[in-house]
Amino acid sequence: EEVKVVQDPEYHWRDFLRSDRSSNEERLSVFHTAAMQARRQLGKKVLQMGANAVLGYREYVDLEGDATDRICIRAFGTAARLAPPTAD
């Protein structure tokens, strides 16, 4: 499992000065970058374990909002070692 927590730009003081579209674009950019970092970190952990694949990969996003002003992304799956089939 890999957890990535980032500041939600939707709750920044500059948000009052930005248009809705600009605010949404900023939030999507932060979300996309954080999700990519979580996937990469999970992939690195899988390689360190000696595996070469992740089975059943799932990604959950928690927009915590007013409570913490954070976006939490959880990425997980089962590490597996896949090999090409052998000819019998």
Side-chain angles (χ1 to χ4, degrees):
E1 177 179 7
E2 184 61 33
V3 177
K4 183 76 178 169
V5 179
V6 293
Q7 180 74 35
D8 187 349
E10 187 80 10
Y11 293 93
H12 194 274
W13 65 268
R14 288 183 306 201
D15 191 46
F16 294 113
L17 305 174
R18 291 188 291 209
S19 68
D20 289 341
R21 179 184 176 110
S22 176
S23 179
N24 288 341
E25 288 172 352
E26 178 70 21
R27 194 177 207 189
L28 285 173
S29 175
V30 168
F31 168 74
H32 177 72
T33 301
M36 179 208 47
Q37 290 172 348
R39 283 190 300 272
R40 289 184 64 88
Q41 286 300 103
L42 183 64
K44 288 178 183 179
K45 284 183 178 181
V46 166
L47 290 175
Q48 288 174 351
M49 294 171 62
N52 62 2
V54 177
L55 303 179
Y57 176 81
R58 292 191 180 231
E59 197 171 86
Y60 291 97
V61 178
D62 183 15
L63 301 174
E64 297 178 358
D66 292 332
T68 64
D69 302 341
R70 302 274 192 251
I71 298 173
C72 180
I73 298 175
R74 299 176 198 282
F76 58 94
T78 302
R81 178 124 183 104
L82 303 179
T86 58
D88 290 333

